[in-house]
Amino acid sequence: MLVENVKYLKDKFPIAWNVLQAATANLAENNIQLEIAKNEQHTITVHTEGRTNYIHSSYNPQAEAVRFIDQQKEIGLHKHVFFYGVGLGYHIEEFVKRYPNTSFSIYEPHTIIFEQFLSLFDLQQWKKNLKHVYLEDKPGAIHYNLRHFTQNIKEDVCVVVWPSYERLFLGKTNDFIAKFREKVFARKSYMQASRVFSKRITINNVINLSKVVQTPDILSDGMEHFQGKPAVIVAAGPSLDAEYENLRYIKEKKLAYIVSVGSAINSLIKNGIYPDAAATYDGSVKNATVFQKVVDEKITNIPLLFGTTVGFETLKNYPGKLFHFMVNRDTISPYFLRRKDNREFGMVKGYKTISTITLQLLSKLGCDPIILVGQNFAYTQTQRYAKGIDYINPDLNKDKMKDLTTVIDVDGNETVTSRMFDLMRLEMQELLSSLDSTEVINTTKGGARIEGAPFIPLEHVIREKLTQERVVSPQWQKLKHVEYDMEYFKKQAEQMKGIIGKYEQTISKFEELFTEMNHYIQSRNHKQLNKCFNKFDKLFDRLQRNEFNLRVIFPMNNLMFEQILKMFEEVRFSKDVVAKAKRVMEEFRLYLDHCRNDTKVIKYLLEEMQQEVLGESNTV
């Protein structure tokens, strides 16, 4: 191995270096060897089952690399390229020549091949744009590597697989590609949700507090009405269209509580079925659209079970009774509220889909069995959703056919689904694995198989499980709102004002520090700049410990904060103190601007909320 590569890996990619060292120490005889091609360039041979295969051309590896990059038309459209299979790096070197300003990462699943590459090529030639080096030393490494990559790359990514890896190591390569797509999609989904909801959730928590004070806590106080009774969760999957008569029968005979989730309420209403309750949790503005039919038709006899993080617009004009349940993402209600009876709050864990949230809620209330209807997590040949939802086109069009994946359905056959639906299915399975004492039945015909919820057709469930009539008690709707300690609320509100004041003071101290740092940057006084970094660390710790930051500002800016931590990691060992100071000031000041603006908004909303809560407490 070239000495330059050893030093470079130790300094810039220490994890890859450690993997390489461990692999070298245990290197056994292998079937991978360096050879010379016809044009006297190096190539690699892989000997399998008496045959000799080549990682690169046995005639002209360089010409082969040129042709390969010619074929990669999409490379120039992306800001980052991920190379799976380094080989001896010919194709990557050609890419660097053509796209000198595009960043890239490399992934080599065979450490022996990477060793041979490092014995021939000076890795520092790529140091301008090489962001990450990943090696596999054991099966679990792929999960760590992909988690690290997805957490550290913000740009659009193009994946390039060297063809011989697909040919010679097919199983390993296919496994990687599948896992890569899953991880990247999950990360994109998380980032998109964070961008959309991080600020909304906190704002919803503050605004919704006045509704929380006025409404019953279904999770903490409703168990006596639901314990041991069957419940049906109705989702808006396409199979719902075949179940209306069964649901109508259940409703008329009161055989089980029927709870609609998401858009299913519209399909049920269109078919003349009013569920015993609807459940909602989505924090977006658009969530109010789901219940517009209820508002427009002034339907007052469908109670709404709302998570405290739900979009505040949803609750504003809802005509029916409201019941709340607290969600663990709500950092506001537990701070301001304390029950007069000193009972602990019930809490549900946040998930991507209201179906899983509602399953968790009903299991905590003691419902048994819980029956899933219309929970497809997949598409039929023609439909994505049930019919009867005015704002959704249920048909499966060509655009929606892009980026689909396959899953096994309840009958053991393959069916197509979106990656998002599949993530939701996996989340529900995660919850189901923890519900040991609750029977959950999936009645969704043609839907994806859900481990932990065996498939039984709904008509069979009615005949075999729902044998007792009139189990639905109207008394649950008479639950009273919780009596909260308003003196405690006032004390907490006053305390929060002081905490916010200290938070704003700390931000002001940062501005003073930045003025000082600017002075030392101009004079290039490295000694004083290093002292400024010590001051910065103390202020940063103070900012992070502040309760207003922990409960409000951090949840509102979690993605940006991730980037700040990434920046700190990148500059930590920089020897250029002036460049380090400039970057820290530039990026952290932008972060502080967001924090300052969010503080102004939340201060105003807290004041409004306080007036509403105290006003309502005098009239309730």
Side-chain angles (χ1 to χ4, degrees):
M1 200 183 305
L2 296 177
V3 174
E4 292 82 358
N5 285 334
V6 173
K7 290 168 62 179
Y8 184 62
L9 281 173
K10 281 183 178 179
D11 184 36
K12 296 296 183 182
F13 305 106
I15 294 175
W17 169 248
N18 289 337
V19 170
L20 198 60
Q21 268 196 311
T24 303
N26 298 293
L27 213 59
E29 290 295 322
N30 60 75
N31 58 350
I32 299 173
Q33 296 176 344
L34 269 179
E35 286 198 9
I36 302 297
K38 298 291 185 184
N39 71 340
E40 298 190 352
Q41 289 181 320
H42 286 90
T43 185
I44 296 177
T45 58
V46 180
H47 301 283
T48 56
E49 298 176 356
R51 295 180 57 188
T52 299
N53 304 281
Y54 289 88
I55 294 290
H56 300 286
S57 168
S58 61
Y59 293 92
N60 192 328
Q62 183 61 44
E64 178 190 40
V66 170
R67 289 194 301 273
F68 177 72
I69 296 299
D70 282 342
Q71 296 165 3
Q72 307 306 307
K73 305 298 184 185
E74 291 191 3
I75 281 185
L77 304 176
H78 293 77
K79 294 182 178 179
H80 191 87
V81 179
F82 188 100
F83 288 99
Y84 180 83
V86 176
L88 295 179
Y90 293 109
H91 58 300
I92 305 173
E93 182 68 2
E94 181 63 26
F95 157 80
V96 171
K97 287 178 186 175
R98 297 195 199 185
Y99 305 98
N101 297 316
T102 301
S103 66
F104 65 99
S105 298
I106 59 177
Y107 193 110
E108 179 51 63
H110 300 278
T111 54
I112 182 63
I113 292 179
F114 196 67
E115 274 200 317
Q116 291 163 340
F117 163 68
L118 292 178
S119 71
L120 298 171
F121 184 82
D122 182 1
L123 202 57
Q124 291 186 85
Q125 292 182 40
W126 294 344
K127 67 180 181 181
K128 178 184 174 185
N129 290 322
L130 177 59
K131 299 300 181 185
H132 302 289
V133 175
Y134 297 106
L135 302 174
E136 277 187 38
D137 60 337
K138 50 191 174 185
I142 189 170
H143 295 285
Y144 171 82
N145 289 339
L146 290 180
R147 184 171 66 247
H148 181 273
F149 178 73
T150 54
Q151 287 176 346
N152 284 280
I153 289 293
K154 295 183 288 184
E155 301 91 346
D156 276 343
V157 179
C158 175
V159 182
V160 175
V161 179
W162 183 239
S164 61
Y165 281 67
E166 289 186 279
R167 187 178 70 253
L168 300 177
F169 315 114
L170 181 62
K172 194 164 192 158
T173 302
N174 285 346
D175 183 51
F176 169 82
I177 292 171
K179 287 183 169 64
F180 184 91
R181 286 175 176 165
E182 288 173 13
K183 292 285 185 184
V184 168
F185 181 83
R187 179 64 178 173
K188 281 184 178 177
S189 171
Y190 162 73
M191 291 180 71
Q192 183 179 6
S194 291
R195 287 192 195 100
V196 173
F197 296 122
S198 57
K199 295 188 191 296
R200 281 280 305 180
I201 285 176
T202 303
I203 289 170
N204 291 337
N205 290 342
V206 175
I207 295 176
N208 290 342
L209 196 64
S210 59
K211 293 291 187 186
V212 172
V213 169
Q214 298 172 50
T215 56
D217 181 345
I218 187 67
L219 182 54
S220 296
D221 299 330
M223 183 176 289
E224 64 177 295
H225 302 289
F226 294 89
Q227 182 84 41
K229 295 184 179 180
V232 178
I233 299 175
V234 182
S239 67
L240 175 58
D241 290 338
E243 302 291 4
Y244 294 121
E245 291 312 309
N246 284 326
L247 291 170
R248 197 186 317 279
Y249 180 79
I250 292 172
K251 174 69 178 179
E252 288 173 355
K253 301 291 186 181
K254 301 185 185 300
L255 302 178
Y257 287 96
I258 297 177
V259 182
S260 72
V261 294
S263 297
I265 190 170
N266 294 278
S267 300
L268 290 173
I269 290 172
K270 192 137 190 170
N271 285 275
I273 303 167
Y274 285 12
D276 296 293
T280 187
Y281 158 77
D282 185 351
S284 71
V285 177
K286 292 181 180 178
N287 191 56
T289 306
V290 174
F291 302 97
Q292 196 58 48
K293 185 187 287 288
V294 179
V295 175
D296 292 343
E297 297 182 14
K298 297 181 173 57
I299 299 172
T300 59
N301 55 344
I302 302 179
L304 186 67
L305 314 179
F306 71 91
T308 49
T309 56
V310 75
F312 65 89
E313 301 88 351
T314 303
L315 307 180
K316 192 173 182 182
N317 298 311
Y318 193 82
K321 291 183 178 179
L322 297 175
F323 297 79
H324 71 266
F325 57 91
M326 289 196 185
V327 184
N328 65 350
R329 293 174 183 171
D330 180 356
T331 59
I332 301 298
S333 300
Y335 176 83
F336 283 96
L337 299 180
R338 183 170 70 186
R339 295 173 63 117
K340 279 191 173 180
D341 59 13
N342 288 321
R343 286 179 58 195
E344 294 290 323
F345 296 118
M347 194 79 69
V348 300
K349 179 183 175 182
Y351 285 101
K352 287 183 174 66
T353 170
I354 183 60
S355 293
T356 305
I357 289 281
T358 305
L359 174 59
Q360 182 185 185
L361 173 66
L362 293 176
S363 69
K364 284 177 176 285
L365 287 171
C367 290
D368 197 5
I370 299 174
I371 301 152
L372 307 178
V373 176
Q375 193 61 70
N376 286 71
F377 287 136
Y379 301 147
T380 65
Q381 291 184 337
T382 59
Q383 281 182 240
R384 300 180 298 137
Y385 289 96
K387 295 175 182 176
I389 306 169
D390 295 339
Y391 51 87
I392 292 178
N393 178 1
D395 298 333
L396 182 61
N397 54 42
K398 288 183 179 179
D399 289 339
K400 295 297 179 184
M401 292 296 289
K402 296 176 183 176
D403 198 35
L404 294 186
T405 187
T406 58
V407 291
I408 301 301
D409 70 11
V410 294
D411 298 313
N413 304 312
E414 280 196 349
T415 188
V416 294
T417 189
S418 70
R419 295 191 182 280
M420 179 56 76
F421 277 178
D422 200 35
L423 278 178
M424 292 175 174
R425 178 184 67 88
L426 293 172
E427 271 201 340
M428 182 174 280
Q429 289 184 172
E430 176 192 324
L431 172 64
L432 284 165
S433 67
S434 69
L435 303 182
D436 298 330
S437 60
T438 305
E439 182 182 14
V440 181
I441 302 167
N442 181 17
T443 69
T444 308
K445 297 181 177 76
R449 179 185 294 168
I450 305 170
E451 298 296 335
F455 171 71
I456 305 174
L458 184 54
E459 53 270 24
H460 294 181
V461 173
I462 292 172
R463 187 168 60 248
E464 297 167 11
K465 300 283 186 179
L466 305 183
T467 55
Q468 185 179 348
E469 293 189 9
R470 309 193 69 79
V471 301
V472 178
S473 167
Q475 296 301 312
W476 77 271
Q477 295 191 34
K478 296 179 181 179
L479 281 175
K480 296 188 181 300
H481 68 85
V482 180
E483 287 193 43
Y484 291 107
D485 185 340
M486 285 299 115
E487 290 304 314
Y488 178 81
F489 175 88
K490 291 175 187 176
K491 186 189 103 182
Q492 292 297 96
E494 197 60 34
Q495 181 173 285
M496 181 56 76
K497 286 179 184 177
I499 293 170
I500 294 173
K502 289 179 180 177
Y503 184 81
E504 291 175 315
Q505 286 174 11
T506 304
I507 290 180
S508 297
K509 292 286 185 185
F510 271 109
E511 290 302 328
E512 294 173 11
L513 178 60
F514 290 159
T515 300
E516 186 180 349
M517 289 174 74
N518 262 324
H519 172 72
Y520 294 129
I521 286 172
Q522 298 303 318
S523 61
R524 303 191 69 82
N525 190 328
H526 291 194
K527 183 177 180 180
Q528 291 301 322
L529 273 177
N530 280 321
K531 288 183 178 179
C532 286
F533 281 124
N534 291 332
K535 293 179 184 178
F536 182 96
D537 289 343
K538 290 177 182 177
L539 283 176
F540 183 75
D541 289 342
R542 188 190 306 173
L543 196 74
Q544 296 314 110
R545 289 196 305 268
N546 183 279
E547 190 162 12
F548 178 68
N549 175 71
L550 294 171
R551 290 185 178 274
V552 176
I553 299 301
F554 171 71
M556 294 179 77
N557 296 278
N558 57 336
L559 272 184
M560 198 170 188
F561 188 74
E562 278 185 25
Q563 295 307 313
I564 290 295
L565 293 183
K566 180 185 171 187
M567 179 268 291
F568 287 165
E569 192 67 29
E570 289 173 356
V571 303
R572 179 190 296 177
F573 301 111
S574 174
K575 295 175 182 177
D576 188 339
V577 180
V578 170
K580 175 180 175 180
K582 285 180 177 178
R583 186 175 176 192
V584 168
M585 284 173 58
E586 179 185 357
E587 296 191 28
F588 197 70
R589 181 173 268 150
L590 180 61
Y591 173 73
L592 289 180
D593 285 343
H594 281 259
C595 296
R596 193 181 290 109
N597 291 335
D598 289 340
T599 300
K600 288 178 184 177
V601 172
I602 296 299
K603 280 174 70 175
Y604 170 78
L605 292 177
L606 284 172
E607 188 66 33
E608 292 281 302
M609 178 270 289
Q610 186 176 349
Q611 292 176 14
E612 284 188 31
V613 168
L614 293 176
E616 289 296 338
S617 70
N618 292 328
T619 58
V620 170

